[in-house]
Amino acid sequence: MTTITIANEVPAQTVAKIQAVLDDTALRDASWNGVNFQIERGDFTCIENDESAEAVRLLHKINDIIAGY
């Protein structure tokens, strides 16, 4: 399981979009094959306990969704 914390101020609709992207990532991305992503709310957005290059790329994707890109 990989825990992703999403900032409290991010709207629920955006969190739903992030969840959809995470579900697709678990299905199609070889680096995240079959991973169970767990979303939690917190003070800031981050991927818990993972500083790998894959996690950084995924966090950038999540931040782009939050920014509306």
Side-chain angles (χ1 to χ4, degrees):
M1 180 173 70
T2 298
T3 302
I4 299 180
T5 304
I6 304 295
N8 291 321
E9 65 267 10
V10 175
Q13 182 179 5
T14 303
V15 174
K17 289 178 186 177
I18 293 168
Q19 183 65 60
V21 168
L22 293 174
D23 292 344
D24 187 63
T25 299
L27 286 173
R28 301 179 194 283
D29 189 323
S31 298
W32 298 102
N33 188 22
V35 170
N36 179 19
F37 290 107
Q38 178 71 34
I39 292 180
E40 295 181 357
R41 299 304 283 248
D43 293 332
F44 55 91
T45 300
C46 67
I47 298 177
E48 300 288 325
N49 302 319
D50 192 344
E51 297 178 12
S52 67
E54 291 83 10
V56 171
R57 280 192 289 275
L58 183 58
L59 185 58
H60 282 295
K61 187 183 291 188
I62 291 168
N63 285 326
D64 284 348
I65 294 167
I66 292 169
Y69 295 115

